[in-house]
Amino acid sequence: MPGSSSDRPRAGWRARLHEVIFEADTPSGKFFDVALIWLIILSVVTVMLESIRPFRLAYGPTLRAVEWGFTLLFSVEYLLRLICVRRAWRYAVSFFGIVDLLAILPTYLSLFIPGGQALLSVRALRLLRVFRVLKLAQHLKEARVLMRALRATRYKITVFLSTVLTLVVILGSLIYLVEGAASGFTSIPKGIYWAIVTVTTVGYGDIAPQTNIGQFIAAIAMLMGYAIIAVPTGIVTVELSRAAHHEITTQVCPHCTREGHDSDAVHCKFCGWKL
Amino acid sequence: MPGSSSDRPRAGWRARLHEVIFEADTPSGKFFDVALIWLIILSVVTVMLESIRPFRLAYGPTLRAVEWGFTLLFSVEYLLRLICVRRAWRYAVSFFGIVDLLAILPTYLSLFIPGGQALLSVRALRLLRVFRVLKLAQHLKEARVLMRALRATRYKITVFLSTVLTLVVILGSLIYLVEGAASGFTSIPKGIYWAIVTVTTVGYGDIAPQTNIGQFIAAIAMLMGYAIIAVPTGIVTVELSRAAHHEITTQVCPHCTREGHDSDAVHCKFCGWKL
Amino acid sequence: MPGSSSDRPRAGWRARLHEVIFEADTPSGKFFDVALIWLIILSVVTVMLESIRPFRLAYGPTLRAVEWGFTLLFSVEYLLRLICVRRAWRYAVSFFGIVDLLAILPTYLSLFIPGGQALLSVRALRLLRVFRVLKLAQHLKEARVLMRALRATRYKITVFLSTVLTLVVILGSLIYLVEGAASGFTSIPKGIYWAIVTVTTVGYGDIAPQTNIGQFIAAIAMLMGYAIIAVPTGIVTVELSRAAHHEITTQVCPHCTREGHDSDAVHCKFCGWKL
Amino acid sequence: MPGSSSDRPRAGWRARLHEVIFEADTPSGKFFDVALIWLIILSVVTVMLESIRPFRLAYGPTLRAVEWGFTLLFSVEYLLRLICVRRAWRYAVSFFGIVDLLAILPTYLSLFIPGGQALLSVRALRLLRVFRVLKLAQHLKEARVLMRALRATRYKITVFLSTVLTLVVILGSLIYLVEGAASGFTSIPKGIYWAIVTVTTVGYGDIAPQTNIGQFIAAIAMLMGYAIIAVPTGIVTVELSRAAHHEITTQVCPHCTREGHDSDAVHCKFCGWKL
């Protein structure tokens, strides 16, 4: 991870800059992080406001100027990050290095690719700026515990998701066959879309079975989705419970060699020996 | 908390009044609490009935008289609470002190701000009276265990909610770009509204993607929402399980008088004394 | 519970009848229970078929005859239950005693209350016959473990439900005020209906907010509902986990007096003593 | 299970073929499995593409040729599986033996049953080819742990599902009686369909109650469905937690060679031998 001690320059202004930009222990470092989060939120709000037609018509030029302000600010930040890290390349190809770059590129690209329709597609890239919000997670310590627990469940969740996908393909094919184009099921992919809408209990109602057999299949799909949701919940709960348990128990009693002590334990709870 | 022993006057009629109003141990205290809950429910029902047009047209004056009756009753109750508490100010600025005040203010405000449109906005404040129902939680002991467990999860839940909000902003921007105004996605905030409707599996269907790419993004969003729900559930379950575990251990060490021992503990984990 | 050993007559044909009707240990008792479940399912299917217009027009008299057949059969069963139980009154006022009676009454009532509109209201009572299906639960042993765990959670679930109801009343009042009759929110109860539809993530879409503020409130309501679902899940999981634990651990080692043994354990896992 | 060591021929080319087809330990065996999964996915995609009208019109003959290619390939695979297994019949009647057969049959059947409408019904069987995807689960080790935990919950889940079905029958009957055909509740089965849509929180909105009493019943149904979902989640979580606990204990008693000991066990719980 960029920002870890091995990536920090040993001394000089780069070390101090690194401390401010990448770390949150010192007052100035903390101030920088909080200010950055607010700037990111404000820049996202600007993008949102520009997408609302009345706002765009009334304050278009102002919004675009503010947007350029944010882009220049974040560009300076990106360059400073590159400079103060010892291995600039490792930061550049890290997840947040790429996100930081994607957050400033779209505005610059809109300069080189001018013109009507092209501008519209550039706006697409510009929307990626919202990824900047992802940085929020970087600064919260709790996220790491959650992430570790979720990573431990990735195989089980993969099995679960492939089962759901298989189920959804079969249900989508069945409903396409039973209902047909008359009810809006014009193809198997459309049927699969309906199956996902149903199994996940979202239920838009834009496509819904009309025939009795179709509604019977839908009822089965709903009950399955209703019961299946228990599986990922169970997986995550067990993993989080294990993570919470491991947070507590790392100590082994030097006398009876038993473990399972709470983090606030001073004496072994089995033999009374001082830990 | 107002009502705790330190806030009770030491003797006299104020101490007895405090016992009746703030405590539920004595028969009269219990009767007061149950009667109050019923009055609160009845006053909420009155507000509801007044909002139904046929009822308002038929029994408008009666309903308004009943409303004034409740307001006067709750005003007396509020004043008595202020009088019998030793530190009146601490009660007034506590959560339920503010709720108690908000529950009576709207009716009085409707006197000083008369007239057509103004009256309508006063009705808004009047609706806050439903907060009175929140008092219900005050009287149930189980609520405290739940609250303590939920408070312990607040950091993890914050991380979870900011992740969901980030996801929802990205999905909303994507769908706005892909679908555009033709399908009802007139702005990014509208797209975010759709994303929240979809990820939380509510699925109104008032705005739904029409294009194939849009429906593909919707399917991804649904599966994500379906899997993500497991995370807060896991967090709360682990915390409740830990709270339940601590409930079991009521043992107090006879030597250091500290508690919080596991049910299988033989020695006090703080001082090593045999339990 | 009727059917417990204390309610069984000590000897004679009534004791044998009790064994067949109320118990499922003997072959004849098991056969009776399975046959009864099938009869109940068939009678429910008959009621369903009669509600479908084409079926009613084509096979109306036949269906009504079959219905009378079932009613007479269940009446004989009800009388036999009354006869063979030692304390008939205790059975008659027990939950399943009342359900058994309600399952046969509607058909008889349709005799005494003839005529056009009256017949329609009788059909309402007739539908209560589906309660007969509830008997299914009686015969499954697993249900008892589930029931015990769920009963232990009833206080916490009550707290949870009253919190949800309070939330729903506040949200419903707010949306009624913000949206008004134009969007279909004609009264506070209608607003509460919408709030329940939204918080429980059902999301019919028959009433949906149209204004920006309304959609913002809806988004908050959805995220709350999405997070709140974690609470009852956590409560039930912890209680079921405790129940599962108690299923296993009832034995105490006679040597070291420690418990926590699995149900299949022969020796104490701590000191090796024979259990 | 076909593929277990007892089903493998002892020597010769059949043993080597068995290793490649049924096992994933050797490089060639692993390559075969991965290649097969990709072929299955591609064949499912072909079926999907053919269901989309524009694709069928443009590339109909090509898609049908590709389909035949896949069918012949999977037929060869099916025959090889039959040949290299020692007990061919046991494989043929196993779950994946039947799925493998169903995945190739529909294309052959389309030869013998030619003609307009008949062809359409053949397409129904052809869709069963998606079952081929189910093979995916066979190759993932995590699936086995999940499956064992889910199998342990099958009685509790059965109780839960029959309770939900009973509830849904009663709610469906009630809403049919209260709302009637005017709101789209033309029969009890239609009412049950609505009840399933509501209790599982899917909420299409294609049929929704219009009257006040109907909406009140709907609100109750939603709150029930919202609370009930906690039950299967709790059941699965407890079972997965128990499975995870048993995963930890890989110790085998050196005396009686039985396993299943808790992680804190000192003595074998079956024979009392020191672990």
Side-chain angles (χ1 to χ4, degrees):
Chain A
M1 194 179 63
S4 65
S5 57
S6 66
D7 272 330
R8 211 224 288 200
R10 255 161 233 121
W13 62 271
R14 278 177 62 202
R16 282 198 303 278
L17 195 63
H18 188 279
E19 212 173 85
V20 171
I21 295 182
F22 279 105
E23 285 160 49
D25 308 27
T26 57
S28 55
K30 207 179 173 184
F31 174 80
F32 178 84
D33 282 349
V34 170
L36 187 60
I37 288 173
W38 278 107
L39 284 178
I40 291 165
I41 291 171
L42 283 175
S43 76
V44 169
V45 167
T46 310
V47 173
M48 278 190 202
L49 287 179
E50 215 202 327
S51 80
I52 304 170
R53 219 181 120 83
F55 272 92
R56 191 168 54 240
L57 293 177
Y59 310 104
T62 317
L63 287 169
R64 231 160 300 138
V66 171
E67 207 159 90
W68 268 104
F70 279 122
T71 304
L72 292 175
L73 224 70
F74 290 137
S75 304
V76 170
E77 183 220 333
Y78 182 68
L79 289 175
L80 285 178
R81 277 182 193 272
L82 278 178
I83 289 167
C84 74
V85 167
R86 255 167 73 197
R87 278 167 284 185
W89 188 246
R90 254 185 69 184
Y91 162 69
V93 298
S94 75
F95 177 68
F96 280 111
I98 291 163
V99 166
D100 289 348
L101 189 62
L102 285 176
I104 51 173
L105 267 188
T107 324
Y108 291 116
L109 281 174
S110 72
L111 278 183
F112 300 108
I113 314 165
Q117 299 89 330
L119 210 116
L120 231 149
S121 65
V122 165
R123 212 176 355 152
L125 294 166
R126 182 181 289 171
L127 284 163
L128 287 168
R129 183 172 310 162
V130 292
F131 274 114
R132 219 178 254 156
V133 180
L134 277 176
K135 277 189 193 169
L136 282 165
Q138 199 182 16
H139 306 292
L140 287 158
K141 283 173 190 177
E142 289 279 331
R144 216 168 298 164
V145 178
L146 264 181
M147 275 300 141
R148 206 186 306 139
L150 292 181
R151 203 172 299 140
T153 67
R154 69 173 174 279
Y155 293 113
K156 284 209 190 72
I157 291 290
T158 305
V159 173
F160 169 72
L161 273 184
S162 30
T163 308
V164 168
L165 284 177
T166 305
L167 180 73
V168 146
V169 167
I170 293 170
L171 283 171
S173 304
L174 262 178
I175 204 80
Y176 162 70
L177 193 87
V178 165
E179 290 279 330
S183 310
F185 298 91
T186 51
S187 65
I188 293 184
K190 206 66 122 194
I192 292 170
Y193 169 69
W194 166 85
I196 292 175
V197 168
T198 302
V199 167
T200 58
T201 76
V202 170
Y204 281 140
D206 51 352
I207 314 173
Q210 307 294 329
T211 65
N212 289 330
I213 310 171
Q215 293 187 343
F216 183 75
I217 293 169
I220 301 288
M222 285 166 209
L223 288 173
M224 277 174 139
Y226 192 56
I228 283 172
I229 186 70
V231 178
T233 306
I235 294 169
V236 171
T237 303
V238 168
E239 215 52 60
L240 279 175
S241 166
R242 202 184 292 183
H245 190 72
H246 276 280
E247 260 187 300
I248 293 164
T249 66
T250 46
Q251 252 176 322
V252 175
C253 173
H255 186 249
C256 70
T257 71
R258 294 180 68 175
E259 48 181 40
H261 308 296
D262 293 346
S263 52
D264 57 346
V266 181
H267 287 268
C268 171
K269 66 180 180 180
F270 298 109
C271 69
W273 199 266
K274 194 135 195 163
L275 289 171
Chain B
M1 197 178 62
S4 63
S5 56
S6 66
D7 272 330
R8 210 223 289 200
R10 257 164 231 119
W13 60 272
R14 277 176 64 202
R16 282 198 302 278
L17 195 64
H18 187 280
E19 211 173 87
V20 171
I21 295 183
F22 280 105
E23 284 160 50
D25 308 26
T26 56
S28 55
K30 207 179 172 184
F31 173 81
F32 178 84
D33 282 348
V34 171
L36 187 61
I37 289 173
W38 278 108
L39 284 178
I40 291 166
I41 290 171
L42 283 175
S43 76
V44 170
V45 167
T46 310
V47 173
M48 278 189 201
L49 287 179
E50 215 201 328
S51 80
I52 305 170
R53 219 182 119 83
F55 272 92
R56 191 169 53 240
L57 292 177
Y59 310 104
T62 317
L63 287 169
R64 229 159 303 135
V66 171
E67 206 159 271
W68 268 105
F70 281 122
T71 304
L72 292 174
L73 224 70
F74 290 137
S75 304
V76 169
E77 182 220 334
Y78 182 68
L79 290 175
L80 286 179
R81 276 183 195 271
L82 277 177
I83 289 166
C84 75
V85 167
R86 254 168 72 198
R87 277 168 283 186
W89 188 247
R90 254 184 70 186
Y91 161 69
V93 298
S94 75
F95 177 67
F96 279 111
I98 291 163
V99 166
D100 289 348
L101 188 61
L102 285 176
I104 50 173
L105 267 189
T107 324
Y108 292 114
L109 281 174
S110 72
L111 278 182
F112 300 108
I113 314 166
Q117 299 90 329
L119 209 116
L120 231 150
S121 64
V122 165
R123 206 166 10 141
L125 294 167
R126 184 181 288 170
L127 284 163
L128 287 168
R129 184 171 311 163
V130 291
F131 274 115
R132 220 177 254 156
V133 181
L134 278 175
K135 278 187 190 170
L136 282 165
Q138 200 181 15
H139 306 291
L140 287 158
K141 284 175 188 175
E142 289 279 331
R144 217 168 298 165
V145 178
L146 264 181
M147 275 300 142
R148 206 186 307 140
L150 292 182
R151 203 171 300 139
T153 67
R154 70 173 174 280
Y155 292 114
K156 285 209 190 70
I157 292 288
T158 305
V159 172
F160 169 72
L161 273 184
S162 30
T163 308
V164 168
L165 283 177
T166 306
L167 181 74
V168 145
V169 167
I170 293 169
L171 283 170
S173 304
L174 262 177
I175 205 80
Y176 162 70
L177 193 88
V178 165
E179 290 278 331
S183 310
F185 298 90
T186 50
S187 65
I188 294 184
K190 206 66 121 193
I192 293 170
Y193 170 69
W194 167 85
I196 292 175
V197 167
T198 301
V199 167
T200 58
T201 77
V202 170
Y204 282 139
D206 51 352
I207 314 173
Q210 307 294 328
T211 65
N212 290 330
I213 311 171
Q215 292 187 344
F216 183 74
I217 293 169
I220 301 288
M222 285 165 209
L223 289 173
M224 277 173 139
Y226 192 56
I228 282 172
I229 186 71
V231 178
T233 308
I235 293 169
V236 171
T237 304
V238 168
E239 215 52 59
L240 279 175
S241 167
R242 202 182 291 182
H245 191 72
H246 277 280
E247 257 186 305
I248 294 165
T249 61
T250 48
Q251 238 178 337
V252 176
C253 173
H255 186 249
C256 71
T257 70
R258 291 179 69 176
E259 48 182 38
H261 307 296
D262 293 347
S263 51
D264 58 346
V266 180
H267 287 268
C268 172
K269 66 182 180 180
F270 298 110
C271 68
W273 199 267
K274 196 135 194 165
L275 289 171
Chain C
M1 196 179 61
S4 65
S5 57
S6 65
D7 272 330
R8 211 222 286 200
R10 257 161 232 119
W13 61 270
R14 277 177 62 201
R16 281 199 303 278
L17 195 64
H18 188 280
E19 210 173 270
V20 171
I21 294 183
F22 280 105
E23 284 160 50
D25 307 27
T26 57
S28 55
K30 208 181 172 182
F31 173 81
F32 178 84
D33 282 348
V34 171
L36 187 62
I37 289 173
W38 278 108
L39 283 178
I40 292 166
I41 291 172
L42 282 175
S43 76
V44 170
V45 168
T46 310
V47 173
M48 277 189 202
L49 287 179
E50 214 202 328
S51 80
I52 305 171
R53 220 181 119 80
F55 272 92
R56 192 169 52 240
L57 293 176
Y59 311 104
T62 317
L63 287 169
R64 232 159 300 138
V66 171
E67 207 159 89
W68 268 105
F70 280 123
T71 303
L72 292 175
L73 225 70
F74 290 137
S75 303
V76 169
E77 182 220 334
Y78 182 68
L79 289 175
L80 286 178
R81 277 183 194 270
L82 278 178
I83 289 166
C84 76
V85 167
R86 254 168 72 197
R87 277 168 283 185
W89 188 246
R90 253 184 70 185
Y91 162 69
V93 297
S94 75
F95 177 67
F96 279 112
I98 292 164
V99 166
D100 289 348
L101 188 62
L102 285 176
I104 51 173
L105 267 188
T107 324
Y108 291 115
L109 281 174
S110 71
L111 278 183
F112 300 107
I113 315 166
Q117 299 89 329
L119 208 117
L120 231 149
S121 64
V122 164
R123 206 167 8 143
L125 295 167
R126 182 181 289 169
L127 284 164
L128 288 168
R129 183 172 311 161
V130 291
F131 275 114
R132 220 177 252 155
V133 181
L134 278 175
K135 279 189 193 168
L136 282 165
Q138 201 182 13
H139 306 291
L140 286 159
K141 282 174 189 174
E142 288 279 332
R144 217 166 299 165
V145 179
L146 264 182
M147 275 301 141
R148 206 186 307 139
L150 292 182
R151 202 171 301 140
T153 67
R154 69 174 175 278
Y155 293 113
K156 285 209 190 69
I157 292 289
T158 305
V159 173
F160 169 73
L161 273 184
S162 31
T163 308
V164 168
L165 283 177
T166 306
L167 181 74
V168 146
V169 166
I170 294 170
L171 283 171
S173 305
L174 262 178
I175 205 79
Y176 161 70
L177 193 88
V178 165
E179 290 279 329
S183 310
F185 297 91
T186 51
S187 64
I188 293 184
K190 207 65 123 193
I192 292 171
Y193 170 69
W194 166 86
I196 292 175
V197 168
T198 301
V199 166
T200 59
T201 77
V202 170
Y204 281 140
D206 51 351
I207 314 172
Q210 307 293 329
T211 65
N212 289 330
I213 310 170
Q215 292 187 343
F216 183 75
I217 292 168
I220 302 289
M222 285 166 209
L223 289 172
M224 276 173 139
Y226 192 55
I228 282 171
I229 186 70
V231 178
T233 308
I235 293 168
V236 171
T237 303
V238 168
E239 216 53 58
L240 278 175
S241 166
R242 204 183 291 183
H245 190 72
H246 277 280
E247 257 186 305
I248 293 163
T249 64
T250 46
Q251 251 177 323
V252 175
C253 173
H255 187 249
C256 71
T257 70
R258 292 180 68 177
E259 48 182 38
H261 308 296
D262 294 345
S263 52
D264 58 347
V266 180
H267 287 267
C268 171
K269 67 181 180 181
F270 298 109
C271 68
W273 199 267
K274 195 136 194 162
L275 287 171
Chain D
M1 196 179 62
S4 65
S5 56
S6 66
D7 272 331
R8 211 224 288 200
R10 255 161 232 119
W13 62 270
R14 277 177 64 202
R16 281 198 303 279
L17 195 64
H18 187 280
E19 211 172 86
V20 170
I21 294 182
F22 279 104
E23 285 161 49
D25 308 26
T26 57
S28 55
K30 207 180 172 184
F31 173 80
F32 178 84
D33 282 348
V34 171
L36 187 61
I37 289 172
W38 278 108
L39 283 177
I40 291 166
I41 290 172
L42 283 175
S43 76
V44 170
V45 168
T46 310
V47 173
M48 278 190 202
L49 287 179
E50 214 202 328
S51 81
I52 305 171
R53 219 180 119 82
F55 271 92
R56 190 168 55 240
L57 293 177
Y59 311 104
T62 317
L63 287 169
R64 232 159 300 136
V66 171
E67 208 159 89
W68 268 105
F70 280 121
T71 304
L72 292 174
L73 224 70
F74 290 136
S75 304
V76 170
E77 182 220 333
Y78 182 68
L79 290 174
L80 286 178
R81 277 182 194 270
L82 278 178
I83 289 166
C84 76
V85 167
R86 253 167 75 197
R87 277 167 284 186
W89 188 246
R90 254 184 69 185
Y91 162 69
V93 297
S94 76
F95 177 67
F96 279 113
I98 291 164
V99 166
D100 289 348
L101 188 62
L102 285 176
I104 50 173
L105 266 188
T107 324
Y108 291 115
L109 280 174
S110 72
L111 278 183
F112 300 107
I113 314 166
Q117 298 88 330
L119 210 115
L120 231 150
S121 65
V122 164
R123 206 169 9 142
L125 294 167
R126 183 181 290 169
L127 284 164
L128 287 168
R129 183 171 312 160
V130 293
F131 275 114
R132 219 177 254 154
V133 181
L134 277 175
K135 277 189 193 169
L136 283 164
Q138 200 181 15
H139 306 292
L140 287 158
K141 283 174 189 175
E142 289 278 332
R144 217 167 298 164
V145 178
L146 264 181
M147 275 300 142
R148 206 186 307 140
L150 293 181
R151 202 171 301 139
T153 68
R154 70 173 173 279
Y155 292 113
K156 284 210 191 70
I157 292 288
T158 305
V159 173
F160 168 73
L161 273 184
S162 31
T163 308
V164 168
L165 284 178
T166 306
L167 180 73
V168 146
V169 167
I170 294 170
L171 283 171
S173 305
L174 262 178
I175 205 80
Y176 161 71
L177 193 87
V178 165
E179 291 279 330
S183 311
F185 298 90
T186 51
S187 65
I188 294 185
K190 207 65 121 193
I192 293 170
Y193 169 69
W194 166 84
I196 292 175
V197 168
T198 301
V199 166
T200 59
T201 77
V202 170
Y204 281 139
D206 50 352
I207 314 172
Q210 307 294 329
T211 65
N212 289 331
I213 310 170
Q215 293 187 343
F216 182 75
I217 292 168
I220 301 288
M222 285 166 209
L223 288 172
M224 277 173 140
Y226 192 56
I228 283 171
I229 185 71
V231 178
T233 307
I235 293 168
V236 171
T237 303
V238 168
E239 216 52 59
L240 278 175
S241 168
R242 204 184 290 182
H245 191 73
H246 277 280
E247 258 187 305
I248 295 165
T249 64
T250 48
Q251 239 177 337
V252 175
C253 173
H255 187 249
C256 70
T257 72
R258 292 179 69 177
E259 48 182 39
H261 307 296
D262 292 348
S263 51
D264 57 347
V266 180
H267 288 268
C268 171
K269 67 182 180 180
F270 298 109
C271 69
W273 199 266
K274 195 134 195 165
L275 290 171

